[in-house]
């Protein structure tokens, strides 16, 4: 069952659920610099970074960010853009940098490569490339979150031809090196340190495509959003590429695309699981662990590449459930136990999905129910079945 694909298509349902529209989600000033470098002058071009940057910039604008977009940026253009961002970020609620293009590690330092770089020697990086440490510094003065997203871990042709001043000291490695951000800064790599990312054959790289599917889903806390991106990328690349996030935030929940519905914010970031809806007489006496309003059959129509499918939950008064989809290929049937009371629910599959469990909040609204859990928000309706 591809739950992440399902969640990414639930924006309309989430808006019904009381999540603010994306353009209104920002709680304070948000600024971003987006760079996509593909037309490198001294090594073969990368096809996707300009597309990735353009699409990410559009998504960030919808999330309330004031965005500066630079494609095929020179060293001077990148430097000026970062200086301007640092000024705008001071006192802002959030500041973000997205970079797609070439990046490399030299002697423990990570560098983002402009399109005009030559990098004939390792020592040229300080004068021809942008140090990742300086990028993190520019987003560190926000009140809530400084975010750096790097789709810059590709196989790097600069490294192969570079002359090294001291080979053992300044040897380059694949991808980017491990970092330790401080304060309220998160850094997301398309591929974890020491590994490389794929550029892909479609319009977007696998990482950018996953980010675009998840970044605008309402009610998902930012660290959980990156977990969803990780899983999507690993699925798309058959576990060849594993994104990784560096940094440690406080216990304060941070949302890029709006908070969960009222009453659900204390829950783990949202998910589309069971269903709930208007109070109706249960067919059997309900267990003390089941809200009588949830007993019955509930459904939701789920868009997919093959058309719409119908997902159906049967919740019984004895605390058990059954799930199936029509057509069956769209999601795996399963069953197990469920508890639901006082606006909170938990679920554990015993057949059909090994080790599957979830939990979150629910809120009944007339003929619909808003369900939140780990991965998103969904609105379900009572079925005639």
């Amino acid at each position: 069952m591809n739950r992440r694909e399902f969640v990414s298509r639930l924006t309309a349902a989430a808006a019904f659920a009381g999540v603010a529209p994306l353009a209104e989600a920002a709680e304070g000033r948000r600024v971003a610099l987006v760079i996509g470098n593909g037309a490198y002058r001294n090594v073969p071009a990368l096809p996707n970074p300009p597309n990735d940057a353009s699409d990410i910039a559009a998504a960030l604008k919808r999330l309330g960010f004031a965005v500066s977009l630079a494609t095929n940026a020179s060293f001077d253009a990148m430097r000026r853009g970062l200086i301007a961002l640092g000024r705008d970020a001071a006192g802002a609620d959030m500041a973000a940098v997205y970079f797609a293009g070439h990046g490399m590690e030299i002697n423990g330092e990570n560098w983002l490569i402009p399109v005009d770089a030559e990098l004939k020697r390792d020592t040229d990086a300080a004068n021809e490339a942008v140090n990742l440490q300086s990028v993190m510094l520019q987003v560190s003065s926000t009140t809530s979150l400084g975010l750096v997203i790097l789709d810059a871990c590709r196989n790097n042709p600069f490294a192969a031809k570079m002359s090294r001043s001291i080979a053992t000291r300044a040897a380059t490695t694949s991808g980017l090196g491990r970092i330790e951000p401080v304060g309220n800064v998160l850094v997301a790599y398309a591929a974890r340190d020491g590994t490389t990312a794929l550029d892909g054959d479609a319009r977007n790289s696998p990482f950018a495509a996953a980010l675009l599917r998840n970044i605008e889903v309402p009610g998902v806390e930012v660290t959980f959003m990156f977990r969803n991106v990780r899983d999507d990328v690993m699925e798309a690349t058959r576990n060849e590429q594993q994104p990784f996030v560096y940094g440690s935030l406080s216990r304060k929940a941070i949302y890029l695309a709006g908070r969960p519905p009222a009453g659900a914010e204390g829950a783990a970031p949202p998910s589309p699981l069971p269903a709930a809806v208007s109070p109706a007489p249960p067919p059997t006496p309900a267990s003390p662990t089941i809200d009588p309003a949830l007993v019955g059959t509930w459904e939701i129509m789920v868009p997919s590449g093959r058309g719409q499918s119908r997902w159906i939950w049967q919740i019984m008064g004895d605390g058990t459930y059954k799930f199936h989809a029509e057509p069956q290929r769209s999601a795996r049937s399963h069953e197990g136990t469920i508890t639901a009371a006082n606006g909170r629910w938990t679920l554990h599959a015993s057949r059909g999905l090994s080790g599957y469990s979830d939990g979150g909040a629910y809120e009944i609204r007339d003929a619909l129910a808003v369900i939140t859990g780990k991965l998103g928000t969904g609105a379900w309706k009572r079925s005639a079945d």
Side-chain angles (χ1 to χ4, degrees):
M1 180 186 305
N2 192 336
R3 294 177 294 156
R4 293 179 297 283
E5 178 182 355
F6 167 56
V7 174
S8 69
R9 300 174 185 272
L10 276 178
T11 301
F16 172 86
V19 177
L22 300 186
E24 301 174 3
E27 297 181 356
R29 190 161 51 90
R30 296 178 169 191
V31 296
L33 172 64
V34 177
I35 302 171
N37 285 351
Y40 283 91
R41 301 174 191 174
N42 300 296
V43 295
L46 295 171
N48 283 337
N51 298 334
D52 297 337
S54 176
D55 294 346
I56 295 295
L60 289 173
K61 287 179 181 178
R62 291 190 292 269
L63 291 171
F65 284 81
V67 179
S68 295
L69 172 63
T71 55
N72 299 321
S74 66
F75 174 75
D76 284 341
M78 289 179 64
R79 181 180 60 85
R80 288 195 301 270
L82 285 167
I83 291 172
L85 177 73
R87 291 170 179 165
D88 292 339
D93 183 55
M94 295 185 189
V97 172
Y98 173 87
F99 176 83
H102 280 309
M104 63 193 307
E105 178 194 357
I106 305 174
N107 190 31
E109 294 285 337
N110 294 297
W111 303 89
L112 309 184
I113 314 301
V115 296
D116 57 350
E118 294 186 73
L119 297 177
K120 294 180 179 180
R121 294 174 58 83
D122 54 27
T123 52
D124 292 339
N127 297 311
E128 296 183 13
V130 173
N131 193 295
L132 176 56
Q133 196 67 37
S134 70
V135 177
M136 292 189 290
L137 184 62
Q138 297 299 331
V139 301
S140 64
S141 58
T142 61
T143 60
S144 179
L145 176 66
L147 182 60
V148 179
I149 305 173
L150 302 178
D151 197 351
C153 315
R154 297 162 169 85
N155 277 318
N156 198 324
F158 287 100
K161 67 177 186 176
M162 181 182 292
S163 173
R164 297 173 176 81
S165 57
I166 303 176
T168 56
R169 177 181 66 83
T172 58
T173 64
S174 298
L176 296 172
R178 185 176 181 85
I179 55 172
E180 296 293 341
V182 296
N184 61 336
V185 175
L186 284 184
V187 179
Y189 283 6
R192 68 176 304 155
D193 53 277
T195 67
T196 55
L198 303 174
D199 196 45
D201 299 322
R203 171 180 172 81
N204 300 115
S205 73
F207 178 75
L211 185 61
L212 288 165
R213 281 195 299 271
N214 287 279
I215 196 170
E216 296 181 80
V217 177
V220 182
E221 206 274 338
V222 64
T223 55
F224 276 78
M225 186 273 291
F226 280 114
R227 295 184 199 182
N228 296 341
V229 170
R230 170 198 177 275
D231 288 354
D232 281 357
V233 172
M234 293 189 71
E235 181 178 338
T237 64
R238 298 183 179 181
N239 297 328
E240 290 184 18
Q241 178 179 333
Q242 180 184 356
F244 209 84
V245 176
Y246 305 84
S248 178
L249 300 180
S250 71
R251 70 179 67 180
K252 175 186 174 184
I254 298 173
Y255 300 92
L256 294 180
R259 296 179 177 275
E265 192 165 334
S271 166
L273 265 176
V277 159
S278 64
T284 57
S287 159
T289 62
I290 291 291
D291 187 331
L294 300 183
V295 176
T297 303
W298 311 96
E299 67 177 63
I300 191 169
M301 299 303 295
V302 181
S304 70
R306 299 180 178 178
Q308 287 199 331
S309 60
R310 182 173 172 235
W311 289 15
I312 303 163
W313 289 84
Q314 293 177 281
I315 301 177
M316 275 68 79
D318 61 359
T320 61
Y321 78 88
K322 294 181 180 180
F323 169 87
H324 73 279
E326 300 173 355
Q328 291 184 350
R329 67 176 183 271
S330 63
R332 187 182 303 173
S333 298
H334 55 94
E335 58 188 76
T337 59
I338 181 171
T339 64
N342 301 318
R344 306 288 301 168
W345 64 271
T346 59
L347 175 147
H348 302 281
S350 57
R351 294 181 59 186
L353 281 178
S354 176
Y356 177 62
S357 63
D358 204 345
Y362 69 91
E363 180 181 354
I364 299 171
R365 298 187 178 185
D366 298 327
L368 292 175
V370 178
I371 308 298
T372 65
K374 294 178 182 176
L375 299 178
T377 300
W380 296 66
K381 67 177 183 179
R382 184 176 288 278
S383 171
D385 290 0

